[in-house]
Amino acid sequence: MKLKKNVAVSESGLLFNPVTGESFSVNPIGVEILNFLREEKTDEQISEAILGKYNAEKQAFENDYQDFIGVLSHNNLIESHEETNA
Amino acid sequence: MKKPTLNIAVTGLNAIDSPGPGVSVIRALREAASFNTRIIGLSYESLEPGIYMHDLVDRTYSIPYPTAGIDLLFERLQYIQEKEKLDVIIPNFDAELYPFIKLEHNLKTMGIHMFLPTLHQFEERNKVNLNDFGKKYGIKVPKSKVIYDLSTVHSLPSEFSFPMIVKGKFYDASIAYSIEQVKSYFNKISAKWGLPVIIQEFIHGTEFNVTGLGDGTGKTIAAVPMRKQYITDKGKAWGGISISDEKMLDMTRKFLRNTKWRGGFELELMKNKDGELYLLEINPRLPAWIYLAVGVGQNIPEVLVNLAMGHTVKPFTEYAVGKMFVRYSWDMIVDREEFEQISMYGEL
């Protein structure tokens, strides 16, 4: 899973997709996850990093994480397989 | 090298809730690097705000509406030319383009330059001809039908599904969800803009615009795509952001290459959920949000003037992505005498 290269993420958590002109805001944990995605970390590595840093239940985090990825995907912020393989 | 001073006349001073492009065009010209300007406003109504913006407009003359005929417009422009020695006119309304295109040669002999689409280009891109335009140039357009009278409205549901768009030949568009609404919009729009009225397939999606400039040989001189972020109840952008969409730029380049478009333009595009782009309309002039193009590094009005003057220009190749424009309204305090001057004497 990889965040699209051209998507800009600011420190404050504002995402900007330059292709569509859409902006989104995410909270600080969202920013951390986006940075992990940018670094091409796997789901397991991201889960490990977040659970190691915050006091959260594994199952609850993974549910929320999948929801978050779903929202990113729905808004075309994640590279599709074709884009990743191109 | 000393910059020349050009006398440039600009229409579309109606910086209202459905704004004309004039004031934005003038702001762009004031920032031109290659020339200084004396700006002459050309107005149709005494309350067009640009008339009273003395820091932008040096002098304004009222001109007759296009419906008054070409001869009357030419007579008025001859009078203005005697006083102002115009170098360039930039018309900014769809409805006035026809008379200005017709007058292009006559005005040139008087020393006035313009950079307008040819009459053929102007007619071909007319929304009345959009289906044929799409077919001819291989550009995806929504299905549309031209109607001249109410009796044909009843057959529409066999060709279009609801909702459908009812459009005027120059301006106005409404979404109709029933035959009754189609009839009502047909009456309203035809009373205001005349016949025909256009029925267009409704494309669900997000609206984008591209403004740019073609040099008449098929070359893209400028192109800036924008997403509307804040839309008024009249469908006008009150805020927008420059974007980087290769598909949109490709479509723009294709449009310019195939039509050999001459002059400024605005493409109205719709992107559906599958990412397919539809060309909804081609406005044959610069848009009211043209100052965003200046803000992102493409001073399109300046280059348009240089092309009109016969200079060679270099195409723009880049622009800043993610720059926004946010429009605002502003109350000017105006002396009654100024209003009187433009209303009674047609000059200010």
Side-chain angles (χ1 to χ4, degrees), chain B residues 140-179:
Chain B
K140 207 175 258 186
V141 297
K143 182 178 162 189
S144 57
K145 185 177 183 175
V146 173
I147 55 172
Y148 287 87
D149 68 88
L150 266 180
S151 64
T152 51
V153 163
H154 288 282
S155 66
L156 289 174
S158 63
E159 299 172 65
F160 295 86
S161 49
F162 286 108
M164 56 183 88
I165 312 277
V166 186
K167 286 184 153 185
K169 64 176 175 178
F170 290 122
Y171 295 104
D172 269 359
S174 296
I175 304 172
Y177 291 87
S178 65
I179 278 293

Side-chain angles (χ1 to χ4, degrees), chain A residues 46-63:
Chain A
I46 294 172
S47 173
E48 224 171 82
I50 296 289
L51 293 173
K53 190 170 172 186
Y54 300 100
N55 182 19
E57 271 180 43
K58 192 166 191 262
Q59 193 56 49
F61 168 74
E62 280 172 4
N63 288 345

Side-chain angles (χ1 to χ4, degrees), chain B residues 120-158:
Chain B
H120 175 72
Q121 289 170 342
F122 179 70
E123 294 292 359
E124 197 176 44
R125 62 84 241 174
N126 192 315
K127 53 188 120 170
V128 169
N129 304 321
L130 195 65
N131 280 346
D132 294 339
F133 184 91
K135 250 184 241 158
K136 182 172 173 188
Y137 295 117
I139 291 175
K140 207 175 258 186
V141 297
K143 182 178 162 189
S144 57
K145 185 177 183 175
V146 173
I147 55 172
Y148 287 87
D149 68 88
L150 266 180
S151 64
T152 51
V153 163
H154 288 282
S155 66
L156 289 174
S158 63

